[in-house]
Amino acid sequence: ARNFLWLVNPDNDSITRVNQNSEILEVSLGEGSKPRNIAVDNSGIVWVTCEGSDRIELVNPDGSRHSSINLDYGSAPFGIAITPDGSQALVTLYGKGELKRYSISTRNETGSLALGATARAIAITANSNRALVTRFISPENNGEVWDVNLGTNLSLSRTITIQEDVTTDDTSASGRGVPNYLSAISID
C-alpha cells in the first residue's frame, strides 16, 4: 500500500486510490458517510473516519471493504493518526469531544479520554508516547491544544493555551485575534 496515494472525497462519500501510473480507483463508502480523514497502517489497511455515519471504515489496499468500527450516534469521528510504532490508531470524536485509541492488530478500543468540545486534528510524537489534539473551535479568549499521555491509560498531561494575537497587522491573509479553527497540527 506504500505505493498508493489515498484521498478523501467528503462531497461524494468516497475515497480515491491513485497508483504510480496515475491509475485511479474510487471506493464508495455509502451515502451520507461523509469521510473526513484517512491513515494507512503498516499492513496497508486504510482507516477512514466517516463523520456522517459515525463509523471508522477499514479498506483493503485493493479497495475492497475490510471491516467497520461502529461508534455511538453523534460521535462524528474526524481526525485519525497511526502511532509511529504502528501499534495504535488514535481517532478524535468531534461530536463527543473525545479521543479514542484502537489496537491495530485487534481493532478493539483500548482507551478513551474526554477532552472537550470540537476535538479534531492529531499529531503523535516519534516515540508514540504523546499526542497533541487540537480544539477546532476555541474558547472565547484563547486557542487550545490538548497534550495527551498515551500510556496504559490515556490521560491529559496539560492544555496548551495559545494566546490572542494583538500585534499582527490585519491583511487579507492574516489578522489579529483568537487563534480559532485549529484544523491541522504537526510536530517538528
Side-chain angles (χ1 to χ4, degrees), residues 83-85 88 124-131 147-151 157:
T83 55
D85 66 12
Q88 304 169 74
I124 304 170
T125 58
N127 63 9
S128 301
N129 290 336
R130 291 176 41 225
D147 184 347
V148 178
N149 179 331
L150 300 178
S157 296

mmCIF file of all heavy atoms in Angstrom, residues 83-85 88 124-131 147-151 157:
data_model
loop_
_atom_site.group_PDB
_atom_site.id
_atom_site.type_symbol
_atom_site.label_atom_id
_atom_site.label_comp_id
_atom_site.label_asym_id
_atom_site.label_seq_id
_atom_site.Cartn_x
_atom_site.Cartn_y
_atom_site.Cartn_z
ATOM 1 N N THR A 83 0.006 5.555 15.301
ATOM 2 C CA THR A 83 1.223 5.838 16.052
ATOM 3 C C THR A 83 2.446 5.393 15.248
ATOM 4 O O THR A 83 2.377 4.416 14.492
ATOM 5 C CB THR A 83 1.221 5.135 17.419
ATOM 6 O OG1 THR A 83 1.018 3.731 17.225
ATOM 7 C CG2 THR A 83 0.147 5.707 18.339
ATOM 8 N N PRO A 84 3.570 6.110 15.369
ATOM 9 C CA PRO A 84 4.772 5.740 14.617
ATOM 10 C C PRO A 84 5.244 4.306 14.852
ATOM 11 O O PRO A 84 5.813 3.698 13.953
ATOM 12 C CB PRO A 84 5.822 6.748 15.103
ATOM 13 C CG PRO A 84 5.011 7.962 15.443
ATOM 14 C CD PRO A 84 3.747 7.399 16.057
ATOM 15 N N ASP A 85 4.965 3.744 16.024
ATOM 16 C CA ASP A 85 5.349 2.345 16.256
ATOM 17 C C ASP A 85 4.375 1.364 15.594
ATOM 18 O O ASP A 85 4.574 0.157 15.627
ATOM 19 C CB ASP A 85 5.504 2.041 17.749
ATOM 20 C CG ASP A 85 4.195 2.118 18.541
ATOM 21 O OD1 ASP A 85 3.096 2.193 17.941
ATOM 22 O OD2 ASP A 85 4.283 2.099 19.783
ATOM 23 N N GLN A 88 -1.105 1.416 17.299
ATOM 24 C CA GLN A 88 -2.371 2.013 17.700
ATOM 25 C C GLN A 88 -2.880 3.005 16.650
ATOM 26 O O GLN A 88 -2.092 3.626 15.955
ATOM 27 C CB GLN A 88 -2.191 2.786 19.012
ATOM 28 C CG GLN A 88 -1.627 1.986 20.144
ATOM 29 C CD GLN A 88 -1.233 2.884 21.304
ATOM 30 O OE1 GLN A 88 -2.094 3.374 22.008
ATOM 31 N NE2 GLN A 88 0.052 3.114 21.475
ATOM 32 N N ILE A 124 1.291 12.942 16.639
ATOM 33 C CA ILE A 124 1.838 11.986 17.612
ATOM 34 C C ILE A 124 3.356 12.122 17.638
ATOM 35 O O ILE A 124 3.993 12.238 16.587
ATOM 36 C CB ILE A 124 1.426 10.540 17.243
ATOM 37 C CG1 ILE A 124 -0.100 10.427 17.147
ATOM 38 C CG2 ILE A 124 1.987 9.547 18.256
ATOM 39 C CD1 ILE A 124 -0.588 9.127 16.555
ATOM 40 N N THR A 125 3.939 12.077 18.835
ATOM 41 C CA THR A 125 5.386 12.159 18.959
ATOM 42 C C THR A 125 6.049 10.919 18.350
ATOM 43 O O THR A 125 5.433 9.857 18.250
ATOM 44 C CB THR A 125 5.814 12.293 20.435
ATOM 45 O OG1 THR A 125 5.314 11.175 21.169
ATOM 46 C CG2 THR A 125 5.310 13.593 21.045
ATOM 47 N N ALA A 126 7.315 11.057 17.965
ATOM 48 C CA ALA A 126 8.046 9.981 17.296
ATOM 49 C C ALA A 126 8.150 8.723 18.148
ATOM 50 O O ALA A 126 8.187 7.611 17.616
ATOM 51 C CB ALA A 126 9.440 10.468 16.907
ATOM 52 N N ASN A 127 8.170 8.877 19.475
ATOM 53 C CA ASN A 127 8.276 7.705 20.347
ATOM 54 C C ASN A 127 6.910 7.096 20.691
ATOM 55 O O ASN A 127 6.827 6.167 21.483
ATOM 56 C CB ASN A 127 9.037 8.048 21.625
ATOM 57 C CG ASN A 127 8.351 9.098 22.474
ATOM 58 O OD1 ASN A 127 7.213 9.487 22.212
ATOM 59 N ND2 ASN A 127 9.061 9.573 23.486
ATOM 60 N N SER A 128 5.839 7.616 20.125
ATOM 61 C CA SER A 128 4.462 7.126 20.306
ATOM 62 C C SER A 128 3.959 7.256 21.736
ATOM 63 O O SER A 128 3.004 6.587 22.121
ATOM 64 C CB SER A 128 4.326 5.667 19.844
ATOM 65 O OG SER A 128 4.680 5.520 18.491
ATOM 66 N N ASN A 129 4.563 8.127 22.543
ATOM 67 C CA ASN A 129 4.167 8.296 23.938
ATOM 68 C C ASN A 129 3.157 9.408 24.179
ATOM 69 O O ASN A 129 2.475 9.402 25.203
ATOM 70 C CB ASN A 129 5.399 8.554 24.828
ATOM 71 C CG ASN A 129 6.271 7.336 24.957
ATOM 72 O OD1 ASN A 129 5.812 6.213 24.794
ATOM 73 N ND2 ASN A 129 7.538 7.560 25.242
ATOM 74 N N ARG A 130 3.085 10.377 23.268
ATOM 75 C CA ARG A 130 2.203 11.529 23.468
ATOM 76 C C ARG A 130 1.526 11.900 22.157
ATOM 77 O O ARG A 130 2.060 11.685 21.077
ATOM 78 C CB ARG A 130 3.001 12.744 23.937
ATOM 79 C CG ARG A 130 3.540 12.607 25.330
ATOM 80 C CD ARG A 130 4.423 13.768 25.768
ATOM 81 N NE ARG A 130 3.952 15.072 25.361
ATOM 82 C CZ ARG A 130 4.751 16.004 24.839
ATOM 83 N NH1 ARG A 130 6.022 15.766 24.632
ATOM 84 N NH2 ARG A 130 4.250 17.180 24.526
ATOM 85 N N ALA A 131 0.356 12.508 22.304
ATOM 86 C CA ALA A 131 -0.361 13.041 21.149
ATOM 87 C C ALA A 131 -0.791 14.467 21.467
ATOM 88 O O ALA A 131 -1.105 14.793 22.614
ATOM 89 C CB ALA A 131 -1.580 12.192 20.825
ATOM 90 N N ASP A 147 -2.513 18.089 25.255
ATOM 91 C CA ASP A 147 -1.330 17.246 25.270
ATOM 92 C C ASP A 147 -1.706 15.972 26.030
ATOM 93 O O ASP A 147 -1.963 16.008 27.237
ATOM 94 C CB ASP A 147 -0.194 17.998 25.977
ATOM 95 C CG ASP A 147 1.127 17.243 25.966
ATOM 96 O OD1 ASP A 147 1.154 16.046 25.633
ATOM 97 O OD2 ASP A 147 2.145 17.876 26.325
ATOM 98 N N VAL A 148 -1.768 14.847 25.316
ATOM 99 C CA VAL A 148 -2.282 13.595 25.872
ATOM 100 C C VAL A 148 -1.165 12.573 26.040
ATOM 101 O O VAL A 148 -0.394 12.320 25.111
ATOM 102 C CB VAL A 148 -3.389 13.009 24.957
ATOM 103 C CG1 VAL A 148 -3.896 11.676 25.489
ATOM 104 C CG2 VAL A 148 -4.529 14.006 24.796
ATOM 105 N N ASN A 149 -1.090 11.985 27.228
ATOM 106 C CA ASN A 149 -0.173 10.890 27.521
ATOM 107 C C ASN A 149 -0.819 9.610 26.996
ATOM 108 O O ASN A 149 -1.950 9.294 27.359
ATOM 109 C CB ASN A 149 0.065 10.813 29.030
ATOM 110 C CG ASN A 149 0.984 9.685 29.420
ATOM 111 O OD1 ASN A 149 1.072 8.661 28.767
ATOM 112 N ND2 ASN A 149 1.679 9.864 30.529
ATOM 113 N N LEU A 150 -0.096 8.860 26.158
ATOM 114 C CA LEU A 150 -0.644 7.648 25.543
ATOM 115 C C LEU A 150 -0.267 6.376 26.303
ATOM 116 O O LEU A 150 -0.285 5.284 25.731
ATOM 117 C CB LEU A 150 -0.189 7.538 24.082
ATOM 118 C CG LEU A 150 -0.592 8.691 23.172
ATOM 119 C CD1 LEU A 150 -0.043 8.477 21.769
ATOM 120 C CD2 LEU A 150 -2.095 8.877 23.154
ATOM 121 N N GLY A 151 0.045 6.491 27.578
ATOM 122 C CA GLY A 151 0.385 5.327 28.394
ATOM 123 C C GLY A 151 -0.768 4.341 28.474
ATOM 124 O O GLY A 151 -1.757 4.440 27.745
ATOM 125 N N SER A 157 -2.143 15.428 29.929
ATOM 126 C CA SER A 157 -0.956 15.958 30.605
ATOM 127 C C SER A 157 -1.115 17.443 30.888
ATOM 128 O O SER A 157 -0.758 17.923 31.952
ATOM 129 C CB SER A 157 0.289 15.750 29.745
ATOM 130 O OG SER A 157 0.549 14.386 29.576
#
